[in-house]
Amino acid sequence: KNQQKYVKELNDYLDKHPNVSVFGQNPAKQETPKQITRVETQKTVDYYYETGTLVGIITAIGGKEVDGKSTIHINSNTYDVEITPTQEKALIPYFKEKKLRFYIAKKIDFRTTEIKSAILESFDVISDKNFLKSLKEFKDKYSNELLEMQNFEEEFEEN
């Protein structure tokens, strides 16, 4: 990947400066400089695949046709992610509402590193609660049980 980036930067430079000469590694030899016009790398594969995560809110969901492929767009992202009909139904309640963590498989062009396609593998809802809010909800939900435990302990200590 770094080699591809280096070759691209070198070729961009050569496009702007076509008269670049390269000398050998041994200056004592007094070799004739060579002209470089373009650098090509050996083609290996067209694409590679990468799995990663994204965090964000769904800003668009659906497809262009009723029976066609559906995609989502995530606010922190520049490309659409393909989803299954089952995933679409599961994601609709979170549309523009909740921050989610998305696990995505991407097909990436080896030469340009452009993302050619992306598929949602799974997702998680990220809780927006803080510790105090969670503690208060716990207290509200289990206050009766906690009071009963406290009463039991007090009775037990008396006997």
Side-chain angles (χ1 to χ4, degrees):
K1 190 173 176 180
N2 289 337
Q3 180 184 14
Q4 292 293 328
K5 183 179 176 185
Y6 172 74
V7 167
K8 182 183 179 328
E9 288 175 7
L10 183 58
N11 283 332
D12 288 347
Y13 180 83
L14 290 171
D15 287 343
K16 296 174 188 164
H17 307 88
N19 298 321
V20 173
S21 299
V22 177
F23 295 89
Q25 292 180 338
N26 187 352
K29 276 185 148 182
Q30 295 187 349
E31 297 174 17
T32 307
K34 294 182 172 60
Q35 288 294 116
I36 295 180
T37 55
R38 200 102 180 114
V39 177
E40 297 295 330
T41 56
Q42 186 177 11
K43 188 174 182 180
T44 53
V45 294
D46 291 330
Y47 302 99
Y48 65 96
Y49 296 86
E50 180 179 281
T51 302
T53 59
L54 279 175
V55 174
I57 298 171
I58 299 170
T59 57
I61 189 167
K64 294 179 182 172
E65 297 176 17
V66 174
D67 295 331
K69 290 183 182 180
S70 290
T71 60
I72 57 171
H73 188 81
I74 304 161
N75 69 323
S76 61
N77 198 27
T78 58
Y79 53 88
D80 287 338
V81 179
E82 188 177 319
I83 58 174
T84 66
T86 305
Q87 290 171 329
E88 182 177 18
K89 288 177 185 169
L91 289 167
I92 287 174
Y94 305 113
F95 176 59
K96 292 187 177 182
E97 292 293 326
K98 290 275 188 183
K99 189 178 275 192
L100 304 171
R101 179 178 291 110
F102 302 93
Y103 299 91
I104 297 171
K106 297 177 277 190
K107 179 180 178 181
I108 302 170
D109 185 296
F110 187 79
R111 192 177 57 77
T112 65
T113 67
E114 177 185 355
I115 296 170
K116 293 297 184 179
S117 65
I119 298 172
L120 180 66
E121 292 183 343
S122 63
F123 69 94
D124 296 323
V125 179
I126 297 176
S127 176
D128 54 355
K129 298 176 188 174
N130 62 27
F131 179 72
L132 291 175
K133 190 174 181 181
S134 297
L135 193 57
K136 182 182 180 323
E137 286 178 3
F138 180 82
K139 181 185 160 247
D140 292 346
K141 187 172 182 178
Y142 297 107
S143 60
N144 290 338
E145 287 85 350
L146 292 171
L147 188 57
E148 287 174 16
M149 283 177 55
Q150 184 179 4
N151 291 339
F152 176 76
E153 287 176 10
E154 289 172 0
E155 287 177 24
F156 184 76
E157 288 174 1
E158 288 175 5
N159 294 329

